[in-house]
Amino acid sequence: EEMEKFNLKGTHLSCLYYLFKNKGLTATELCDICNEDKASISRSVEYLEKQNYLICESKTEKRYKSLIHLTQKGEEIAKSICQKIDGIVEMASAGLSEADQEIMYRALMLINGNLNKLNDEVH
């Protein structure tokens, strides 16, 4: 619902979420943390910049090395989205200890990596 309200896609949401949580990242860091390729992050950063949700710190350096920050508009939207995400994660992980959550996330990351390898082999 939030994504539709602001005309955002999954990668846009990931960028806003991680920029909000980290108070600024480079496009290269966004690629790593969002688990997305350079082209996808580049398109998302460009779209979000045009929507005035974020700003690239340097216009002269290579864009993927420039620090990216949320604008005030971006901060407000990201804060709202992050609160919803954090609430869902809290409800979904109710009853799990911190250690259980770490194991679960480690397992999910391993499964994701294996599925990505399988996808790469097929294509």
Side-chain angles (χ1 to χ4, degrees), residues 23-96:
K23 304 300 179 203
L25 296 166
T26 64
T28 302
E29 291 169 327
L30 278 172
C31 287
D32 292 339
I33 200 167
C34 295
N35 197 27
E36 293 287 342
D37 62 36
K38 188 175 173 181
S40 177
I41 292 297
S42 180
R43 285 189 301 272
S44 293
V45 166
E46 184 177 336
Y47 175 82
L48 293 168
E49 194 170 27
K50 285 180 181 174
Q51 300 304 312
N52 195 32
Y53 293 149
L54 56 81
I55 187 164
C56 210
E57 195 171 272
S58 172
K59 300 292 183 192
T60 57
E61 274 187 47
K62 298 249 183 207
R63 295 213 16 122
Y64 62 90
K65 291 183 178 181
S66 298
L67 203 55
I68 301 166
H69 294 283
L70 294 173
T71 62
Q72 184 175 349
K73 179 180 176 182
E75 283 271 341
E76 291 168 8
I77 292 168
K79 182 178 180 182
S80 171
I81 291 168
C82 286
Q83 287 173 339
K84 287 188 186 330
I85 291 171
D86 291 344
I88 291 167
V89 169
E90 188 176 318
M91 288 185 337
S93 60
L96 290 175

Side-chain angles (χ1 to χ4, degrees), residues 7 39 44 101 111 118:
N7 198 26
S44 293
Q101 288 180 38
I111 291 167
L118 179 62

